[in-house]
């Protein structure tokens, strides 16, 4: 199986970390009799040779040897080898790994090599190893370019297979086959759809029927039953009953490799999770059906089904705007059970929901009052943070979080993110101000952890606009020594706090003027304007930042925002702002256009409106800024009210991301909707 391996000039090939001269050892390691060595080799293949899904010349050179490994019965863990081959073939392509060019040349060559060796996968679909049989069908569909043969093999294997997990992958591969060939009108695709329809009903078992329904939803939704949701919920419960009283437990110990850790971190009911994820994904914008399905899952007697439902809900809420009251209340109810993994899933989702978590707030409150150890999370590294249940309760805006946060403040350590939840409590957090003030007054001025201790407190006091904290803020601002770690970040947080206090911070005027020429100059200018109302002292600095803000990425946009709030008093900045609307990043162009409109009071049909409309459409991250500008303008903002109306009727979130990369996406979208509603509720708004 390694014939010719030493004839390859591996040293001249590359992987993610340089020379590929170590690759022959990795390939041999995949065939080792030692489990740890095999897992380490597979770990390294993914980490270097196929790093982040990429294909290098060394990856391409590995394909023949990986194919040879996959068919040798004496090689253990061949399923992992087949999965690696499928992943390599999928690099740089879509679902069906279409060939590309240019930068994807190596990936296209890898797919061509897999097609040339596709007879390997014909053999493997009937392998004695169930793990190999689970991995092989997807490769067969992707790389064997003989549709009749592929369909015949899948049909045959479905008939004779007795392993339920292999049957599920065969069904999924049948759906993949149908999606691949339906666009061309291939008669074999229609046969595959018919087979899926048959598999979705009796006498097949509930797991197989669920898998078939998920595939039908993707390739032939017209064949789904009219009572889809009740059917799926019933099948799900039947499947759970067959599985028995399985618990949410991690797998036993194994080799401490990436592959081993990933295996242990998979859901206990990985197949169930995949089945429901496929169905939810296929249903897409059928949000009412998806919510009803979630509620059915969340009331299942099986905690595994409920845990899967919690994770499914996260994807739905991130992507679609819908009434979440019922599912969120059901999610919160899961906090009353003792299953660790289910509990962790619930908290992770509720933390991300912010104000939408209110229907679960009773359960969160009961948890943080009944289990004090959950209030602060002490990690192995880094500063302590608020425990998830308390963070979720505060982010939801529930006033009952205030006395609990007061107890945390009275403790020995202030979590570094405490200040970030205060704004969500609004005036309900006002009773915390004296404790925050006292803690700030005791922060050491030159300690190694001054930043970690001061910034959360300053953020909280900023949100509260607590005028009585001015002396404590000034003590910090004036007393920090030069050279203090992250001194600039602490100074900027202090300046923002003073700005939030307005005229009550009059004794800070000299300090703020002294900071205008520093790295926190824009924040100082904003604060000075807030305290004094004098534009002449800050406009020159802000004007310079528009054109000389390259030292800090966000400084030009921040300066434009402040100038816009100054209104007509910032007219001297108009030429620079108009130039800025034509260059730079979208956020800078939008900020400049908003500033011009707020300063002049005119929409400037030839420049401002086109910039804002283009930014709104092409760069959704700018929408909150633009909507805020329109809201501040009142009736004058009417030329863009059509954008706000369209936003309010859109079913999708403005930065829809069901992948979970943005933990604040839901909150920011709900904020955008509030701003749009507020703007349109004003006179002339619609």
């Amino acid at each position: 199986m390694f014939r010719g391996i030493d004839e390859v000039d591996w040293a001249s090939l590359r992987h993610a970390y340089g020379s590929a001269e170590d690759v022959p050892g990795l390939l041999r390691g995949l065939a080792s009799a030692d489990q740890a060595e095999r897992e380490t080799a597979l770990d390294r293949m993914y980490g270097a040779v196929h790093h982040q899904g990429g294909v290098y010349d060394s990856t391409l050179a590995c394909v023949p040897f990986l194919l040879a490994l996959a068919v040798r019965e004496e090689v253990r863990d061949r399923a992992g080898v087949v999965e690696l081959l499928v992943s390599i073939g999928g690099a740089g392509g879509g679902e069906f790994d279409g060939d590309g060019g240019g930068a994807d040349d190596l990936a296209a060559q890898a797919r061509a090599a897999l097609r040339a060796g596709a007879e390997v996968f014909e053999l493997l679909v009937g392998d004695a190893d169930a793990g190999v049989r689970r991995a092989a069908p997807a490769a067969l569909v992707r790389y064997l370019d003989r549709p009749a043969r592929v369909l015949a093999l899948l049909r045959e294997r479905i008939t004779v297979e007795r392993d339920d997990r292999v049957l599920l992958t065969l069904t999924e591969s049948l759906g993949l086959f149908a999606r691949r060939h339906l666009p061309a009108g291939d008669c074999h695709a229609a046969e595959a759809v018919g087979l899926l329809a048959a598999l979705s009903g009796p006498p097949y078992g509930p797991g197989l029927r669920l898998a078939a329904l998920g595939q039908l939803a993707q390739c032939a939704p017209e064949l789904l039953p009219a009572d889809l949701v009740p059917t799926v919920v019933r099948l799900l419960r039947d499947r759970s009953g067959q599985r028995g009283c399985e618990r949410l437990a991690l797998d036993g110990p194994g080799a401490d490799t990436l592959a081993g850790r990933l295996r242990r971190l998979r859901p206990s009911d990985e197949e169930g999770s995949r089945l429901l994820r496929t169905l939810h994904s296929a249903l897409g914008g059928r949000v009412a059906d998806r919510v009803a399905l979630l509620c059915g899952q969340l009331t299942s007697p099986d905690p595994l089904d409920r845990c899967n439902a919690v994770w499914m809900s996260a994807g739905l809420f991130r992507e679609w705007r819908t009434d979440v009251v019922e599912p969120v209340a059901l999610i919160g109810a899961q906090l009353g059970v003792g299953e660790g993994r289910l509990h962790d899933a619930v908290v992770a989702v509720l933390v991300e929901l912010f104000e939408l978590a209110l229907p679960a707030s009773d359960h969160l409150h009961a948890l943080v009052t009944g289990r004090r150890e959950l209030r602060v999370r002490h990690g192995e590294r880094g500063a302590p943070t608020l425990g998830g249940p308390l963070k979720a309760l505060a982010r939801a805006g529930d006033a009952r979080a205030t006395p609990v946060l007061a107890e945390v403040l009275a403790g020995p350590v202030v979590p570094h993110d405490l200040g970030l939840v205060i704004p969500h409590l609004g005036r309900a957090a006002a009773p915390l101000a004296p404790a925050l003030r006292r803690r700030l007054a005791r922060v050491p001025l030159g300690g190694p952890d001054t930043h970690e201790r001061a910034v959360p407190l300053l953020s909280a006091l900023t949100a509260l606009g607590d005028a009585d904290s001015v002396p404590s803020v000034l003590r910090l601002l004036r007393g920090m020594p030069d050279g203090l770690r992250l001194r600039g970040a602490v100074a900027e947080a202090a300046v923002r706090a003073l700005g939030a206090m307005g005229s009550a911070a009059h004794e800070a005027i000299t300090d703020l003027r002294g900071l205008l020429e520093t790295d926190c100059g824009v924040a100082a200018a904003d604060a000075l304007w807030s305290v004094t109302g004098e534009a002449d002292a800050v406009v020159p600095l802000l004007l310079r930042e528009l054109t000389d803000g390259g030292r800090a990425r966000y400084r030009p946009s921040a300066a434009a925002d402040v100038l816009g709030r100054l209104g007509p008093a910032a007219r001297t900045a108009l030429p620079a702002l108009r130039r800025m609307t034509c260059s730079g990043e979208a956020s800078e162009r939008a900020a400049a256009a908003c500033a011009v409109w707020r300063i002049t009071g005119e929409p400037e049909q030839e420049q401002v409106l086109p910039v804002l409309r283009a930014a709104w459409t092409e760069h959704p991250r700018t929408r909150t800024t633009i909507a805020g500008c329109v809201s501040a303008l009142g009736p004058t903002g009417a030329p863009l009210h059509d954008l706000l109306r369209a936003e309010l009727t859109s079913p999708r979130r403005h930065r829809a991301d069901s992948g979970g990369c943005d933990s604040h996406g839901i909150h920011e979208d709900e904020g955008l909707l509030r701003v749009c509603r507020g703007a349109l509720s004003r006179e002339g708004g619609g």
Side-chain angles (χ1 to χ4, degrees):
M1 57 186 153
F2 296 120
R3 181 187 303 173
I5 194 170
D6 294 326
E7 297 172 12
V8 178
D9 185 7
W10 295 102
S12 70
L13 303 181
R14 313 293 290 176
H15 56 47
Y17 298 104
S19 171
E21 58 188 349
D22 59 337
V23 171
L26 299 180
L27 289 169
R28 290 188 170 98
L30 293 173
S32 171
D34 181 76
Q35 179 183 353
E37 186 175 351
R38 293 195 305 274
E39 290 196 356
T40 299
L42 187 60
D43 190 349
R44 183 68 176 166
M45 290 293 292
Y46 277 107
V49 182
H50 188 39
H51 179 70
Q52 294 184 349
V55 174
Y56 305 84
D57 53 8
S58 64
T59 323
L60 181 60
C62 285
V63 170
F65 302 106
L66 292 171
L67 287 169
L69 283 166
V71 294
R72 297 294 288 265
E73 292 184 4
E74 68 269 25
V75 175
R76 303 181 185 181
D77 299 338
R78 288 180 296 129
V81 174
V82 178
E83 289 172 355
L84 176 60
L85 284 166
V86 173
S87 183
I88 290 171
E95 182 180 26
F96 307 121
D97 313 314
D99 290 344
D104 290 333
D105 253 0
L106 288 170
Q109 291 178 55
R111 289 191 288 276
L114 287 166
R115 290 192 179 102
E119 68 276 2
V120 165
F121 305 119
E122 287 188 75
L123 298 173
L124 296 179
V125 291
D127 196 90
D129 184 330
V132 173
R133 298 201 305 277
R134 286 198 301 273
L140 181 75
V141 171
R142 285 180 166 91
Y143 307 122
L144 184 61
D145 290 327
R146 295 163 54 198
R149 175 61 175 158
V150 172
L151 182 58
L153 282 170
L154 292 176
R155 187 192 301 274
E156 175 189 348
R157 293 310 309 171
I158 288 172
T159 302
V160 302
E161 183 59 60
R162 294 295 176 263
D163 186 300
D164 287 342
R165 294 201 293 175
V166 179
L167 279 169
L168 293 183
T169 59
L170 285 166
T171 305
E172 290 166 354
S173 297
L174 195 62
L176 181 65
F177 177 90
R179 294 194 300 279
R180 179 175 186 181
H181 297 289
L182 273 172
D186 192 309
C187 62
H188 299 100
E191 290 182 43
V193 170
L195 185 51
L196 285 171
L199 291 170
S200 70
Y204 297 100
L208 191 58
R209 291 177 63 185
L210 284 169
L213 286 170
Q215 297 306 314
L216 281 176
Q218 292 182 304
C219 63
E222 69 279 4
L223 297 181
L224 292 171
D227 58 343
L228 176 65
V229 172
T231 297
V232 170
V233 171
R234 184 178 66 254
L235 290 173
L236 187 65
R237 297 189 181 186
D238 290 345
R239 176 180 176 273
S240 301
Q242 289 181 2
R243 192 175 59 242
C245 300
E246 189 177 335
R247 308 307 296 166
L248 293 168
L250 290 171
D251 293 342
D256 189 21
T257 62
L258 177 60
R261 290 195 296 273
L262 289 176
R263 185 180 63 250
R264 294 192 295 276
L265 286 173
R266 287 172 175 172
S268 293
D269 182 20
E270 185 179 1
E271 286 76 19
S273 175
R274 191 169 72 243
L275 289 172
L276 271 299
R277 187 166 57 246
T278 299
L279 189 55
H280 274 280
S281 176
L283 290 174
R286 292 174 57 173
V287 178
D289 283 342
R290 293 178 66 184
V291 170
L293 178 55
L294 280 178
C295 292
Q297 292 175 255
L298 289 164
T299 53
S300 168
D302 190 325
L304 290 170
D305 290 341
R306 301 200 302 274
C307 190
N308 285 336
V310 172
W311 289 122
M312 295 302 106
S313 73
L316 175 64
F317 299 155
R318 290 182 193 123
E319 190 172 4
W320 299 96
R321 296 163 175 165
T322 185
D323 184 357
V324 302
V325 172
E326 184 180 2
V328 170
L330 290 172
I331 289 171
Q334 310 308 314
L335 293 173
V337 301
E339 302 289 354
R341 191 179 293 212
L342 177 56
H343 174 279
D344 292 346
V346 168
V347 171
V349 170
L350 293 179
V351 162
E352 192 177 333
L353 293 182
F354 287 78
E355 59 268 48
L356 295 186
L358 266 176
S361 59
D362 286 347
H363 300 286
L364 288 167
H365 180 251
L367 195 61
V368 299
T369 53
R371 297 183 58 185
R372 301 176 66 89
E373 73 276 12
L374 297 179
R375 298 179 180 184
V376 178
R377 182 176 179 271
H378 298 274
E380 294 181 7
R381 298 192 183 103
T385 59
L386 283 175
L390 180 52
K391 181 184 292 187
L393 185 68
R395 282 180 165 184
D398 193 309
R400 291 176 293 181
T402 298
V404 184
L405 290 171
E407 292 184 36
V408 172
L409 272 170
V413 177
V414 178
H416 84 277
D417 52 351
L418 182 142
L420 301 179
V421 304
I422 298 296
H424 305 291
L425 290 167
R427 297 313 303 171
L432 300 175
L436 291 164
R437 206 182 306 137
R438 288 192 296 271
R439 294 296 294 247
L440 185 64
R442 296 200 297 268
V443 170
L445 297 176
D449 60 347
T450 296
H451 173 269
E452 287 74 12
R453 295 177 63 176
V455 171
L457 299 167
L458 289 166
S459 299
L461 291 166
T462 300
L464 294 174
D466 179 54
D468 292 333
S469 63
V470 170
S472 297
V473 176
L474 285 175
R475 164 189 167 270
L476 193 65
L477 190 60
R478 294 167 178 171
M480 288 186 297
D482 293 336
L484 179 70
R485 186 179 70 89
L486 297 175
R487 185 184 190 282
V490 180
E492 184 155 346
V495 165
R496 294 189 185 284
L498 293 169
M501 296 161 198
S503 59
H506 60 87
E507 61 184 290
I509 292 174
T510 301
D511 301 270
L512 294 172
R513 285 178 174 152
L515 291 168
L516 290 175
E517 302 298 330
T518 68
D519 286 343
C520 61
V522 173
D526 192 11
L528 190 60
W529 162 256
S530 175
V531 173
T532 67
E534 299 172 3
D536 293 344
V538 300
V539 170
L541 176 280
L542 295 170
L543 188 53
R544 284 200 306 275
E545 293 293 352
L546 291 180
T547 55
D548 191 31
R551 295 170 297 169
R553 180 180 176 189
Y554 299 109
R555 212 175 279 172
S557 295
D561 287 340
V562 178
L563 288 166
R565 290 197 297 275
L566 295 181
R571 294 192 70 85
T572 55
L574 284 172
L577 287 166
R578 290 191 175 105
R579 287 193 296 272
M580 188 173 161
T581 63
C582 301
S583 62
E585 296 183 357
S587 59
E588 294 177 0
R589 299 196 302 273
C594 286
V596 170
W597 196 354
R598 295 183 69 171
I599 291 169
T600 64
E602 299 293 335
E604 299 197 5
Q605 302 281 345
E606 295 182 359
Q607 187 167 17
V608 168
L609 290 184
V611 168
L612 294 179
R613 286 186 177 278
W616 183 282
T617 302
E618 299 166 16
H619 303 280
R621 288 181 179 273
T622 64
R623 291 185 189 178
T624 300
T625 296
I626 296 170
C629 169
V630 172
S631 180
L633 287 163
T636 306
L640 290 187
H641 281 172
D642 61 304
L643 294 179
L644 276 59
R645 291 191 190 95
E647 188 67 52
L648 290 175
T649 60
S650 172
R652 286 174 66 90
R653 299 202 181 275
H654 75 290
R655 290 194 290 116
D657 177 18
S658 60
C661 296
D662 187 349
S663 62
H664 285 66
I666 295 173
H667 175 61
E668 290 174 7
D669 185 75
E670 291 294 319
L672 170 62
L673 296 177
R674 281 195 299 275
V675 174
C676 290
R677 292 188 195 102
L680 294 175
S681 68
R682 294 169 180 250
E683 181 182 355

